[in-house]
Amino acid sequence: MYAELLKIIEGGLSKDPQKVASYAKLLAQNYAKDGDSKSADRIMRLLENKRSPLVYLDQVITPPVDQETRLSIADFIMPGAQAEIPFIFSDTLKSKLDVFIGRLAHRNELQAAGITLTSSLLLYGPPGCGKTTLAHYIAQRLDLPLVVARLDSLVSSLLGNTSKNIRQICDFANRQPCILFLDEFDAIAKARDDQHELGELKRVVNSLLQNMDEFVKSGILIAATNHQDLLDKAIWRRFNTIVEVGKPDMEEIRQLLALYLSRGYVDFTQDARKWDNIVQLMAGSSAADIKSICQNTIAHNIMAKRPKVTYADVLLQYYHFKNHNSTSFKELIKFLSTYDVNQKLIAEICDISLRQVRNYLTHTA
């Protein structure tokens, strides 16, 4: 319980009743989990009998704002505010996440044993592969709110304001038990030797490093980037856990397709050959791309008042997605034919005659 006690003392010394109440409530919950209901009840009675109004996590919390634009620079997402997130990942990735989550769940015991570990995680990899979803998943597993930095408003045009905003977010996240999530991390953590950047960037990175060092002593920090090669070298040393989040493998693709297409009535679920064709077709796609293709397929069918999602429907939406809806009848017909869609169905899909389909295929043979 050392982390909670330190936060309560910090809140008392800084005369911050919200911080005291939030961490006292967390301390009571941890006592209850450990079977010490007497101590838990005593803390909760003290909180309930306090005459001055206290702000709890389940009440309205106002995130910090940029002084120039007055726009919010962070979103505060309560646990349970979103539906349960189905997340499909490899056994290797799950193992790394379990180690990180396990350290957080047993942080009090580790501290009691004299082991001090900073709670910081860096996720990197191609866009659309689930880094943001992973942050939400970890928050759900730990039953903690997620403070998500808004990089669009955090980076200010006024000299010095970006560093102040970073400080504001860290101070805000430090006031209650939560996870601080910095997405698109490279926007504020670029290498300081970049010749194309102005001196202000160096000041921002220096400020970021100082605030990170202070925050991770007792707070939980997750950062994500699509451009890990742009990060300052000193940034990497601030994370005790670094995880690459890559594109899904074939088994993950199969599971993602089954998950997202289950929202419609699929008429080829028992056809292994068609499923294998689609899985092979999706190889190299990100999880976000697969989700978009499946959702486009179901949406198209709903608007067309067609109750069943067919094999050809998925192929068609895949083709449109990969070709940015730039449709060449010749290429589309050839594509569908390659994946064993019969000529009559191709004619229906493309709204042309069967003779035209045969002519296109004859001239491309």
Side-chain angles (χ1 to χ4, degrees), residues 54-65:
L54 296 174
V55 181
Y56 292 93
L57 287 177
D58 53 357
Q59 296 176 316
V60 177
I61 294 177
T62 305
V65 298

Side-chain angles (χ1 to χ4, degrees), residues 9 27 61 65 72 88 95 120 195 234 239 248 283 291 330 348:
I9 293 169
L27 181 62
I61 294 177
V65 298
S72 173
I88 295 167
S95 176
S120 53
Q195 300 302 315
F239 293 93
K291 181 179 181 179
K330 183 183 293 186
E348 291 177 11

